[in-house]
Amino acid sequence: MIEQYVLDLQEIDETQVAVVGGKGAHLGGLSRIEGIRVPAGFCVTTDAFRRIMAEAPSIDDRLDQLSRLDLDDREAIRTLSAQIRRTIEEIALPGDVAAAITGALARLGEQAAYAVRSSATAEDLPTASFAGQQDTYLNIVGPAAILQHVSRCWASLFTERAVTYRQRNGIDHRTVHMAVVVQQMVFPHAAGILFTADPVTGNRKVATVDAGFGLGEALVSGLVNPDVFKVRHGEVVARTIAAKQRAVHALPAGGTQEVAIDSPRQEQPALTDAQVVRLVQLGRRIEAHFGRPQDIEWCLIGEGFQIVQSRPITTLYPIPETDDQENHVYVSVGHQQMMTDPMKPLGLSMWKLTAMVPMHEAGGRLFVDVTRRLASPASRAALLDLVGRGDPLVRDALETVLDGDDLVPSLPDAVPGGPPAGGAAAPIETDPALVTELIERSQASIAALERDIRTKTGPALFDFLLEAFEEHKRVLSDPLSIRAIMAGMEATWWLNDKLQEWLGEKNAADTLTLSAPDNITSEMGLALLDVADVIRPHAEVVAFLQRVEYAEDAAFLDELAKLAGGTEARDAIETYLDRYGMRCVGEIDITRPRWWERPTTLVPVILDNVRNFEPGAAERRFEQGRQKALKKEQDVLSRLRVLPDGDRKADETKRMIDRVRTFIGYREYPKYGIVSRYFVYKQALMEEAERLVQADVLAEKEDIFYLTFQELRDVVRSNQVDDQIVKQRKDAFRSYDALTPPRVLTSDGEAVTGAYRRDDVPAGALIGLPVSAGTIEGRARVILDMADAELEAGDILVTTFTDPSWSPLFVGIAGLVTEVGGLMTHGAVIAREYGLPAVVGVEQATRLIRDGQRIRVHGTGGYIELLP
């Protein structure tokens, strides 16, 4: 293959990133768009870079050292990267490489001024911009200076910031190569940046223009505040004109300098409104060409704009794809399910196939379209009331959208075929036998699934699963089950509302629901205390568990049996796993490893329980909660009876207390049923994956996680897979991890998080949603992964979200703070069940609260004080 060291920009397009890097590829693409002017130039290709790197074999050893360095060892990274840069800059350019560059310069004009710009193969990508990671040199004059600065650009691949950025993003240094763009210098009257979508709100219909005098370097470097214009539908809708005291200008002999701007001109706009609108029109053309919102660097020369760079905006949250041009408002599923991490494609498709309502995918998360329910006044009021009781931030976000500019259409009240506005469809008796019946129905359905799936393999398995998903939905939509859930929730709301009205007591239901029967999730936490009781007397077993490395299989259970007391310990853990082993963190994603698949996840929690509790703690705790609830009931009823019309109020309250204690525990059971079924589905699918690996169709079993259910079905039928799709999906999943999903998302791309409208908290306190009454002070333990938990009695757990799998931790903590959650989400229900003061929905709690810091959690008032 003949190496090509130089390509003209006109010869390049965006498919050639491997040859000319991200910047070069985008500039080549830009130069092909009708009506877009790009300064003339050429690209020194990655062939030249590889040739240079081959001239210094010592760099290989240093790259090996670099890859082994800890990210936090800044000094070592700084020293080693500086050595690599120095080595590259000292390499004499081979004659043919230098001749190719000077020949291209001769064609354009040797003595003209040029910008020499780095263009790495890992920059300006859809998932990582790498903005500012490598170097650019402006106004370079003469072939010798340009050759020297090409070497500097190559070396800038190893600046400390570029090296650290790659390591943080998991990118191997050897896989990234550097091209260099050499472009004729332009000397603009004004320059700046155009975002074709609002980079703050995400709104794709609002473009933002930053503008200043002279070269754009003044804005990029933060030397001056820019003028900021916002454009919507071809019109400037907002502008902020800054006092621009300085600018960067090019010098005739080369280089740049800062200059002061005359006083009268400082507050003049750098662009007229007409110029701003024209620039945005060019931006829309560029956006259409590249197929996604762009971050564009522009220059104004005379009356014409020239474009010097365009890259994707990588920070925007993606929008669900639709086949219409209508407006849509979406609510996050993850915020309701306590799982805001991205899901893999198989997990997304399985949840969509088994969900009760249509769901839309964006950024590896799921959303429900609520546009029609918001459109008519009656269904809107019911929806806002329902979500507001659960999570006020979702309600506020929806109200913010409704207060906006006609995004939601107005429809008459009757929505044909729409779901009921909320609440129970018919009354249900307060009868514990109904809960027993529902649980038995669910267990029978799961037993039938386990029995019938055993004989199914290949395409027949997928046909069977599609039928199983219908049974899954039938169980979930059982009218009796829905009425039981709503009965418990409505009784809770009634008690909180009425007892605050009659007795002035906030969140009284929190105490009245302590140790409610039939709560599978709270039983799961207490049952692990019983496992600790079995293990505690056996010192050899405890010592072994302290040494266990986190593994993905159950091998350590076999090792346990060889120790004194190990057989009893193994039996206790396996009995626990038989009942709860289908659970895990993020359990709505079928691809997440279950406790049965990775039982060592439970080891830190078991050891905490061994250390922090006495034998018999589970039974004592449950009984203490039951007695506390009973005492609260007696107290409330006696206080009500002395009020005017007290007997009626007390009788109604007693009926509601009985009702809430009958049904509130069942609230957790349907999720347990879903996850139990998921584990059955997963085991069957993993057996299929093993067969595909044996047949050399897949490289590894977990590759099926990056296919949808239907795609996996096709692979099983054809015994063929597109490896490129699996690779692309893995890359996309990694990029989704960096995104923060909004509670509410619009089809315009606006990400709306909502805010608390409260002024009843002390200054400096962190505001959230009160979900479990009481006040507790203690040490904050900021834990992002349950496997890292190491808790002492009295600690307060601070984390992003908790799903049912976290409940074993709840028995050993004194309070709970989460970033995500609502009144009836799992963490809130279990916190109330265990009597833990809890505040959820606290924005950025894991960043604002330091691990080990003392805090005071006001579970009744809904705020956290940070203590000195």
Side-chain angles (χ1 to χ4, degrees):
M1 184 176 114
I2 299 172
E3 291 179 329
Q4 198 164 12
Y5 296 131
V6 167
L7 286 173
D8 190 87
L9 285 182
Q10 300 287 340
E11 301 175 79
I12 297 165
D13 65 27
E14 54 270 30
T15 66
Q16 293 168 274
V17 172
V19 179
V20 295
K23 187 179 287 130
H26 277 81
L27 284 167
L30 283 165
S31 67
R32 292 164 177 252
I33 305 172
E34 189 178 346
I36 302 299
R37 295 170 60 203
V38 176
F42 60 89
C43 196
V44 183
T45 68
T46 54
D47 282 348
F49 174 77
R50 276 190 286 269
R51 176 84 183 274
I52 293 300
M53 294 293 277
E55 298 282 321
S58 66
I59 290 177
D60 258 358
D61 294 337
R62 288 179 178 150
L63 288 179
D64 284 339
Q65 292 174 48
L66 202 57
S67 64
R68 290 195 295 268
L69 289 178
D70 190 284
L71 250 179
D72 296 324
D73 193 349
R74 301 293 295 275
E75 187 55 42
I77 291 173
R78 186 178 299 121
T79 302
L80 199 51
S81 56
Q83 289 172 3
I84 295 171
R85 288 198 307 279
R86 201 159 45 245
T87 302
I88 292 171
E89 287 186 34
E90 288 170 355
I91 295 170
L93 264 65
D96 50 351
V97 174
I101 296 170
T102 53
L105 284 171
R107 290 191 293 276
L108 285 173
E110 281 187 357
Q111 293 310 309
Y114 289 87
V116 183
R117 314 171 69 192
S118 304
S119 179
T121 55
E123 71 175 20
D124 296 353
L125 304 179
T127 56
S129 75
F130 282 71
Q133 298 307 312
Q134 286 90 37
D135 290 344
T136 285
Y137 301 96
L138 301 178
N139 205 29
I140 309 302
V141 178
I146 287 167
L147 290 175
Q148 181 188 23
H149 284 86
V150 167
S151 287
R152 286 185 179 174
C153 282
W154 286 330
S156 77
L157 190 64
F158 298 99
T159 61
E160 182 189 349
R161 64 183 183 274
V163 166
T164 304
Y165 191 95
R166 285 196 295 275
Q167 285 182 276
R168 284 195 195 288
N169 283 276
I171 296 170
D172 183 348
H173 301 299
R174 295 173 191 279
T175 63
V176 184
H177 300 114
M178 179 69 84
V180 181
V181 174
V182 180
Q183 272 181 295
Q184 285 184 343
M185 191 71 191
V186 291
F187 303 98
H189 162 74
I193 300 162
L194 158 63
F195 296 96
T196 62
D198 189 313
V200 177
T201 67
N203 194 316
R204 289 1 181 228
K205 291 184 178 174
V206 176
T208 301
V209 176
D210 289 3
F213 293 123
L215 293 168
E217 194 66 16
L219 305 188
V220 174
S221 65
L223 182 65
V224 296
N225 290 326
D227 296 340
V228 180
F229 303 86
K230 290 192 183 293
V231 177
R232 185 183 178 99
H233 301 316
E235 182 184 346
V236 175
V237 293
R239 70 179 63 72
T240 304
I241 307 304
K244 300 169 289 296
Q245 297 176 341
R246 305 190 73 72
V248 174
H249 284 177
L251 294 170
T256 61
Q257 74 172 34
E258 292 177 24
V259 297
I261 295 175
D262 296 340
S263 235
R265 192 163 160 248
Q266 287 179 5
E267 298 197 23
Q268 286 180 6
L271 295 177
T272 65
D273 281 9
Q275 287 171 328
V276 170
V277 169
R278 189 150 47 88
L279 175 61
V280 169
Q281 288 170 345
L282 295 175
R284 293 290 179 220
R285 199 174 296 175
I286 294 167
E287 179 183 67
H289 175 84
F290 288 119
R292 65 181 66 230
Q294 297 287 302
D295 162 358
I296 298 164
E297 292 181 24
W298 56 269
C299 295
L300 178 65
I301 295 100
E303 282 303 306
F305 288 102
Q306 293 209 30
I307 305 301
V308 294
Q309 188 163 344
S310 185
R311 62 166 74 94
I313 307 175
T314 58
T315 55
L316 298 176
Y317 199 85
I319 307 171
E321 291 181 13
T322 59
D323 53 7
D324 61 41
Q325 297 301 309
E326 302 294 318
N327 292 333
H328 297 274
V329 180
Y330 303 97
V331 171
S332 163
V333 172
H335 285 81
Q336 315 305 312
Q337 290 293 335
M338 297 298 90
M339 201 335 231
T340 54
D341 291 345
M343 296 167 69
K344 296 187 178 80
L346 184 62
L348 289 165
S349 66
M350 294 282 278
W351 191 262
K352 287 166 78 172
L353 284 165
T354 53
M356 300 309 301
V357 294
M359 293 192 175
H360 306 265
E361 183 184 328
R365 280 86 169 181
L366 292 170
F367 295 83
V368 171
D369 188 343
V370 296
T371 318
R372 286 187 70 78
R373 290 192 68 181
L374 287 174
S376 64
S379 61
R380 177 192 310 150
L383 176 66
L384 292 175
D385 181 57
L386 193 63
V387 299
R389 284 184 179 276
D391 185 345
L393 291 177
V394 175
R395 178 177 183 137
D396 186 77
L398 289 173
E399 287 175 335
T400 300
V401 171
L402 289 166
D403 290 341
D405 53 355
D406 303 327
L407 188 74
V408 179
S410 227
L411 295 176
D413 270 343
V415 181
I428 182 174
E429 289 181 58
T430 304
D431 182 359
L434 292 175
V435 173
T436 304
E437 180 190 340
L438 286 166
I439 291 171
E440 286 173 352
R441 281 190 205 174
S442 176
Q443 289 173 339
S445 175
I446 293 165
L449 171 67
E450 289 173 331
R451 181 189 67 237
D452 295 343
I453 203 170
R454 283 181 196 138
T455 57
K456 306 296 189 292
T457 60
L461 170 66
F462 289 82
D463 295 339
F464 171 82
L465 283 172
L466 287 172
E467 291 176 18
F469 296 162
E470 293 309 307
E471 167 66 4
H472 182 123
K473 289 193 276 191
R474 188 196 65 74
V475 172
L476 270 187
S477 60
D478 182 337
L480 183 62
S481 177
I482 292 169
R483 279 152 52 199
I485 292 168
M486 289 308 300
M489 291 168 65
E490 287 169 344
T492 302
W493 299 335
W494 189 96
L495 286 166
N496 281 336
D497 291 348
K498 291 298 184 183
L499 294 180
Q500 180 157 10
E501 178 190 337
W502 293 338
L503 299 176
E505 188 162 337
K506 289 176 77 172
N507 300 336
D510 293 0
T511 307
L512 293 166
T513 53
L514 288 172
S515 296
D518 299 312
N519 188 319
I520 188 75
T521 310
S522 64
E523 289 168 7
M524 178 170 69
L526 296 174
L528 208 57
L529 288 175
D530 292 334
V531 173
D533 285 354
V534 174
I535 288 169
R536 192 180 291 105
H538 305 293
E540 202 176 337
V541 171
V542 173
F544 171 78
L545 292 179
Q546 288 167 338
R547 296 193 304 271
V548 165
E549 291 292 323
Y550 295 109
E552 293 188 21
D553 56 47
F556 93 100
L557 292 173
D558 296 329
E559 293 297 313
L560 260 182
K562 300 171 186 175
L563 306 172
T567 304
E568 297 96 308
R570 183 189 63 185
D571 291 349
I573 293 171
E574 287 187 341
T575 299
Y576 184 86
L577 291 173
D578 284 339
R579 185 153 170 77
Y580 305 111
M582 76 295 289
R583 310 216 82 148
C584 66
V585 173
E587 61 193 11
I588 69 170
D589 182 352
I590 198 171
T591 71
R592 291 287 191 106
R594 311 285 134 174
W595 289 344
W596 248 129
E597 296 168 307
R598 198 175 288 174
T600 46
T601 304
L602 295 170
V603 169
V605 192
I606 293 171
L607 290 171
D608 283 348
N609 289 348
V610 167
R611 187 175 64 251
N612 295 332
F613 292 94
E614 296 294 322
E619 190 177 342
R620 278 197 308 277
R621 286 192 61 137
F622 186 82
E623 184 56 25
Q624 284 164 0
R626 200 180 68 81
Q627 291 296 334
K628 200 171 175 183
L630 186 59
K631 185 179 175 189
K632 183 70 172 178
E633 176 183 329
Q634 292 165 347
D635 172 61
V636 162
L637 296 178
S638 64
R639 287 161 61 199
L640 286 172
R641 290 197 194 282
V642 300
L643 298 177
D645 199 17
D647 286 344
R648 179 189 63 80
K649 290 173 179 172
D651 289 348
E652 282 186 28
T653 301
K654 172 60 176 164
R655 280 198 298 276
M656 284 299 177
I657 291 172
D658 290 346
R659 198 164 177 76
V660 82
R661 290 194 67 80
T662 297
F663 293 116
I664 201 64
Y666 179 71
R667 162 74 177 78
E668 291 292 296
Y669 201 87
K671 181 77 172 283
Y672 175 77
I674 292 171
V675 177
S676 297
R677 297 179 75 89
Y678 261 35
F679 192 39
V680 179
Y681 305 152
K682 183 179 186 181
Q683 288 171 304
L685 291 174
M686 293 310 288
E687 287 176 15
E688 287 300 311
E690 180 60 43
R691 279 190 277 277
L692 292 169
V693 170
Q694 294 299 325
D696 292 326
V697 177
L698 293 179
E700 53 189 24
K701 288 191 296 183
E702 287 73 18
D703 283 352
I704 69 167
F705 297 162
Y706 298 94
L707 301 170
T708 66
F709 179 83
Q710 294 293 355
E711 287 167 345
L712 179 55
R713 184 186 192 185
D714 293 341
V715 169
V716 167
R717 280 179 173 158
S718 66
N719 259 11
Q720 291 181 311
V721 70
D722 185 340
D723 294 329
Q724 211 45 41
I725 285 181
V726 173
K727 182 183 180 304
Q728 287 167 3
R729 299 267 177 80
K730 287 180 178 179
D731 290 342
F733 178 75
R734 277 193 292 272
S735 73
Y736 295 152
D737 209 26
L739 299 173
T740 301
R743 283 177 167 80
V744 170
L745 180 67
T746 74
S747 49
D748 286 351
E750 191 130 9
V752 193
T753 55
Y756 292 107
R757 312 294 177 184
R758 291 170 54 191
D759 53 11
D760 58 343
V761 298
L766 307 182
I767 304 175
L769 178 65
V771 295
S772 185
T775 301
I776 192 71
E777 184 178 314
R779 179 181 71 153
R781 290 306 322 275
V782 179
I783 296 172
L784 303 181
D785 184 340
M786 184 176 151
D788 297 332
E790 198 172 308
L791 297 161
E792 300 289 344
D795 281 349
I796 297 167
L797 174 63
V798 180
T799 190
T800 46
F801 58 79
T802 63
D803 59 13
S805 71
W806 286 72
S807 66
L809 288 183
F810 284 26
V811 299
I813 59 175
L816 174 70
V817 179
T818 68
E819 293 181 346
V820 176
L823 194 62
M824 297 309 294
T825 48
H826 304 279
V829 171
I830 304 308
R832 289 193 293 272
E833 175 79 9
Y834 288 163
L836 301 174
V839 181
V840 302
V842 182
E843 293 286 290
Q844 298 190 23
T846 59
R847 296 182 186 89
L848 298 173
I849 299 172
R850 297 189 318 275
D851 186 44
Q853 182 175 16
R854 288 196 69 76
I855 62 174
R856 187 179 297 124
V857 176
H858 294 263
T860 308
Y863 60 93
I864 295 99
E865 290 181 276
L866 308 180
L867 303 176

